[in-house]
Amino acid sequence: GTLGHLPFDVFLVEQPSEYLPYNELHYLLQDYSIRYSYSAALLLENKKGQAKRKAKGALNLYAFAASYDTLEDDNLFQRTLLQQKTRKQLIPLPAVVTELNQLEKLFEKGHYYYGETATESNLKKNAAEVDVLHLAMHGILNASYPFASSLAFTENQDSLEDNFLYAYEISQLNLNASLVVLSACETGYGRFEQGEGILSLARSFMYAGVPSLVVSLWQVNDASTALIMQAFYTYLKEGLPKDLALRKAKLD
């Protein structure tokens, strides 16, 4: 229920005796490394593919940083009215470029898609090759219909793809990734369903066979996100497990 919408990391271990700044409180995160599973069924299903992933060679990182330029109506004529309205409300995220620049310094042999190349078609074309997928862009939550939540890629007037990657599309992707990082707003939030947990955008990647995800429950500032992602990937490169790497990045 409600616990599915809360990050255990920030639960207080003890009641403070006085008003303290946030960085002086005793959080559960300071004592434990925490990770979550949506359901036992998904956990068991994804464990089946772990042996195959461990046999893979060097890390194959694909990262996307979408851009959101102001578009005229005639540039969106192939989209539905709802898609046109949504696209016009997407504000620029300048820090996502910095975020990918930092990744390039850590993983020089990765594949990086900026601006006009950060499209839905480029993701789908390379989906089977990806080991780690990093998506820095707007996440669009549909709380009433979770499978209609989406990730907004750069609009390039493609006639085959609408550059909104919907949750129902994600669940059908041919993904072999060991990790997907959704550096976007509210990707871990959604409607709770008994026996299944939170029906979020991120959950669709689990259906596609991805065993590990980094997601957000809230709307997040793009500059702050760039900082925590740099620390997270730095610790990953040093060989720390994913949950411990994220814990240390949060504590930093």
Side-chain angles (χ1 to χ4, degrees):
T2 303
L3 290 178
H5 293 96
L6 298 174
F8 280 42
D9 310 50
V10 294
F11 284 7
L12 289 178
V13 175
E14 56 193 346
Q15 181 76 24
S17 58
E18 56 184 315
Y19 288 104
L20 296 171
Y22 290 133
N23 65 334
E24 293 183 20
L25 296 173
H26 186 181
Y27 299 107
L28 195 63
L29 178 70
Q30 292 167 317
D31 299 332
Y32 295 98
S33 178
I34 299 169
R35 52 184 171 164
Y36 309 83
S37 287
Y38 285 98
S39 69
L42 274 176
L43 178 65
L44 290 172
E45 185 66 27
N46 286 330
K47 278 186 177 294
K48 294 177 183 177
Q50 287 185 358
K52 178 181 71 174
R53 293 185 183 94
K54 285 179 181 177
K56 293 178 70 173
L59 181 75
N60 199 10
L61 171 69
Y62 278 75
F64 292 74
S67 63
Y68 304 99
D69 299 324
T70 303
L71 297 168
E72 302 296 333
D73 289 345
D74 55 356
N75 289 332
L76 295 169
F77 73 97
Q78 300 181 81
R79 309 299 179 232
T80 66
L81 290 176
L82 179 58
Q83 287 175 335
Q84 291 181 41
K85 180 181 178 181
T86 302
R87 178 69 62 178
K88 289 178 180 179
Q89 293 174 342
L90 299 177
I91 62 172
L93 300 174
V96 298
V97 174
T98 304
E99 195 172 316
L100 258 66
N101 286 339
Q102 294 166 347
L103 283 180
E104 282 201 72
K105 293 175 183 176
L106 289 168
F107 305 100
E108 294 179 4
K109 294 183 179 179
H111 306 267
Y112 301 94
Y113 296 87
Y114 292 89
E116 62 184 22
T117 64
T119 61
E120 181 181 1
S121 61
N122 275 337
L123 169 61
K124 289 183 174 179
K125 183 170 59 179
N126 297 291
E129 308 297 323
V130 176
D131 183 39
V132 174
L133 177 61
H134 183 94
L135 299 175
M137 57 190 60
H138 278 296
I140 301 163
L141 173 69
N142 189 321
S144 300
Y145 303 98
F147 274 94
S149 296
S150 63
L151 292 164
F153 287 76
T154 304
E155 177 58 76
N156 67 341
Q157 302 179 57
D158 193 330
S159 60
L160 296 178
E161 303 291 352
D162 56 27
N163 287 301
F164 287 102
L165 183 64
Y166 291 96
Y168 67 84
E169 293 180 279
I170 295 168
S171 62
Q172 299 171 39
L173 288 177
N174 178 27
L175 282 172
N176 296 303
S178 59
L179 171 66
V180 171
V181 178
L182 299 177
S183 186
C185 295
E186 300 181 306
T187 49
Y189 193 79
R191 191 180 71 223
F192 174 79
E193 189 167 297
Q194 189 68 38
E196 289 296 327
I198 303 300
L199 300 181
S200 66
L201 179 69
R203 186 191 182 92
S204 298
F205 284 96
M206 299 290 281
Y207 285 130
V210 178
S212 298
L213 292 156
V214 174
V215 305
S216 66
L217 286 171
W218 307 306
Q219 294 185 0
V220 291
N221 174 275
D222 60 327
S224 300
T225 303
L227 290 172
I228 196 169
M229 288 302 167
Q230 181 183 16
F232 171 64
Y233 279 103
T234 298
Y235 289 125
L236 272 187
K237 190 176 181 181
E238 291 176 1
L240 292 181
K242 304 178 191 80
D243 53 347
L244 187 54
L246 187 59
R247 173 179 180 261
K248 286 179 70 69
K250 288 178 179 179
L251 290 174
D252 288 350

